[in-house]
Structures are given as structure tokens and as C-alpha cells.
Amino acid sequence: MAAFFVYERLSRTRNHCSSTTMIIRCGSRDLDLTSPKVMGILNVTPDSFFDGGSNFDNGQLFLDKTLHAVEQMLRDGADIVDIGGESTRPGAAKVSVEEECQRVLPVVAAVAERFDTIISVDTSTPEVMSQSAQLGAGIINDVRALERDGALAACVETGLPVCLMHMQGTPQTMQDNPDYNDVVDEVSQYLQGRVAAVETAAGGAACQIILDPGLGFGKSDGHNLALLNQLSALSALGHPTLIGVSRKSMIGRLLGREPDQRLAGSLGFAMAALVRGASILRVHDVAETRDIVEVFKLTHLGSQE
Ligand code: 9MG
């Protein structure tokens, strides 16, 4: 089995004014999570909710345009590029394994060849995980927390870090009637169970796992706010946390904004996540998010001295 996860935790003193020194090994690159990192979203789907299909014409992906978007993201300060070929917005259509491979793999290959960056692959599909890792991907980002048949074994075999996200239901039905007794406790319990599953599958080798409460994935606005406000409960599990709130419909409902008017709301929620210990922000607006990360570093991490 591939040597799974080198996880270096040099110190742990996380609270509002200090940071955890954590370096995770993403294939051939290190990701230092001592300070928060920005993950830029690169959708290679014709139907994503915000930038839906902007790199597509007649179902055909424009690789040049996609690579320009990556170049811009990196210039804007992205630390990670998250490439995904399945739309997971509420009610999205399912995508076949073949279609997902055709969308994602050429882009992973081209980005790995041209840019010096960490590539995350947003997938639940074992074939996409294995082949992306061979092409140079550095992180697996799975909104189904490796629950799909074969995904756990495929992910462990890659030896890459994994982001395990919580979702209640499926993208097709998840917003129909989200229901919890105690959302923070149930999401934490679920993610703890998935961490145990990964560690068992890895056969006792050290594991690099990032946790994500999955805002908007089978959650009401109240559930999302509770998870965000109590993010420290998730951080207490001892893994870095990732938050994706960028342009999501909760911002639309809470502030009365269309997707193209949700930048300020996205930045506000992103800052709230940083203050509560988020290590990675998954975002559409890289330049603006980079700025708030720098402000957070100056006002919160700088105050350690
Ligand atoms: C793919 N994707 C869409 N939203 C996401 C979120 O909030 N977190 C993660 N990890 N992936 C997401």
C-alpha cells in the first residue's frame, strides 16, 4: 500500500489569537497550514451555480480559457486549485464516471504540467481519485466523505490528504427537509466516524485528514449558522478545517442577494470562519479572499508576539 499521509503537527495552541503549525504533504508539495490558505474553485462542469459553464460551449470545454482562469487565480493568490467535474448544487443532475473522467483528467494533467501549485480534485469517484493522483493531484476533496463504493480504498491507495465533508442526503434531495436534533454534535460524530474509517483503511499509517461541515449540503440556514458559529467544536477533533460558503444560497436568503451580489456576504462569512479556526477557505473570489486572509493574519496571528 502507498505510504499514507505524513502529518506533521509541530504544536497545537489553537484559539482566536494563535495558530496551529501543521504541514501536510500533498504529493510532491508541502502545504503549511500554520496560516489559513485560499483554495480557488475551478468548475469544469457546464452547470455550476455561480460560474456555470463559463468555460464551456455546446458541452465542449475550452482548455485554454480554463488554464487562463487558473493563471489568474494563482496571480490573485490562490494556494490550492480545486478542480471538479460534478455539480453538487441542490438538484444537480448526476454525472457518469466516463463523463467526469473526460471533464476532469485533461484539466488536472494540463494544470500539473504548466503550473507550480497544489491541485485538489473535487470528486467522489474512485477512478477519478486514482487517475488524478497519477497525473499530479495533491489533495482529494470528497463531498461524500469517501462513502461511494471503492472510494475509501482508492483514496488511501493514492497516499494523498483527503478533505472529508459532511452531507445529509444526496445533492438531488438534500435541501428537501434537512433534519437534526443537534446539528453540531451529529456532524462532528459523523466526521469522527469517517476519520476512523480512513485510519482503519490506512492500516494504522499516519493520516492527513481535513474536515468540512459541508455548509449548504443538507442544512437549513439555522444549521449552517450553528456549524459556522461553533466551528471550534469541529477543530477540537484535531484536524484542519475547510469551509466553503462562497456565493452560496444561504447568503442569498440571509441577505437577499443574487449570486453576483454575494461577494461581501461571502467575505464576511469567510472572516467569521477564520476567526473560529478555519484553515482553508474554498472560494470563487480569490483576490478578495486573499486580502481578508492577510488582514486576519495581521490582526489575529500577528497578535501572538
Ligand atoms: C465541491 N464543493 C462544493 N461546496 C463545497 C464545500 O462547502 N466544501 C467542500 N469541501 N467541497 C465543496
Side-chain angles (χ1 to χ4, degrees):
M1 191 197 323
F4 195 53
F5 299 157
V6 183
Y7 197 16
E8 202 175 328
R9 194 171 306 170
L10 301 177
S11 69
R12 268 204 82 71
T13 51
R14 185 178 282 290
N15 59 37
H16 287 188
C17 298
S18 63
S19 66
T20 303
T21 302
M22 282 188 268
I23 297 170
I24 60 175
R25 187 82 190 138
C26 303
S28 58
R29 290 176 177 82
D30 282 339
L31 179 64
D32 182 353
L33 295 177
T34 308
S35 59
K37 295 293 177 277
V38 178
M39 172 185 269
I41 299 170
L42 187 71
N43 285 315
V44 288
T45 59
D47 58 347
S48 67
F49 79 97
F50 176 54
D51 49 5
S54 57
N55 295 324
F56 276 83
D57 189 34
N58 270 334
Q60 197 67 33
L61 178 78
F62 288 126
L63 190 58
D64 274 3
K65 203 172 168 204
T66 305
L67 293 175
H68 275 122
V70 174
E71 195 173 11
Q72 187 60 49
M73 235 181 238
L74 296 177
R75 259 201 230 114
D76 288 344
D79 303 291
I80 307 163
V81 177
D82 189 42
I83 302 173
E86 178 201 5
S87 173
T88 48
R89 69 184 159 74
K94 289 183 180 169
V95 62
S96 70
V97 174
E98 294 70 29
E99 180 71 33
E100 194 185 344
C101 285
Q102 274 171 26
R103 289 178 185 175
V104 172
L105 298 177
V107 180
V108 171
V111 173
E113 195 180 294
R114 288 170 180 76
F115 302 104
D116 179 17
T117 190
I118 295 173
I119 299 171
S120 161
V121 178
D122 152 23
T123 187
S124 302
T125 307
E127 292 84 346
V128 176
M129 292 176 186
S130 306
Q131 293 182 50
S132 296
Q134 284 171 14
L135 293 169
I139 299 177
I140 306 293
N141 172 28
D142 186 2
V143 298
R144 295 178 182 82
L146 305 178
E147 295 248 38
R148 192 172 266 175
D149 276 355
L152 187 55
C155 180
V156 166
E157 187 60 32
T158 67
L160 296 178
V162 60
C163 177
L164 301 172
M165 198 199 79
H166 175 274
M167 165 162 47
Q168 187 180 78
T170 66
Q172 288 70 41
T173 60
M174 63 190 180
Q175 290 308 110
D176 290 352
N177 184 26
D179 186 33
Y180 303 84
N181 288 322
D182 179 337
V183 67
V184 175
D185 188 53
E186 287 170 47
V187 168
S188 298
Q189 297 274 353
Y190 170 81
L191 290 174
Q192 262 179 293
R194 297 312 296 158
V195 168
V198 173
E199 287 175 345
T200 303
C207 297
Q208 292 182 114
I209 299 172
I210 300 159
L211 298 181
D212 182 341
L215 302 186
F217 284 82
K219 279 125 194 151
S220 67
D221 296 341
H223 298 141
N224 290 323
L225 289 174
L227 287 163
L228 193 59
N229 290 337
Q230 295 172 62
L231 187 60
S232 49
L234 204 58
S235 305
L237 299 180
H239 297 273
T241 52
L242 183 152
I243 289 291
V245 66
S246 178
R247 305 264 176 182
K248 283 189 176 170
S249 57
M250 65 178 274
I251 300 174
R253 287 186 299 269
L254 292 167
L255 303 181
R257 298 279 184 249
E258 293 303 316
D260 65 349
Q261 303 170 320
R262 294 179 192 163
L263 174 58
S266 301
L267 296 174
F269 279 115
M271 187 54 117
L274 292 176
V275 169
R276 290 162 179 79
S279 293
I280 303 175
L281 300 172
R282 182 179 182 276
V283 302
H284 299 91
D285 306 286
V286 171
E288 294 84 352
T289 308
R290 181 85 252 157
D291 279 359
I292 66 151
V293 166
E294 294 310 314
V295 171
F296 172 78
K297 283 158 68 176
L298 291 167
T299 55
H300 289 71
L301 301 187
S303 61
Q304 279 180 101
E305 282 94 68

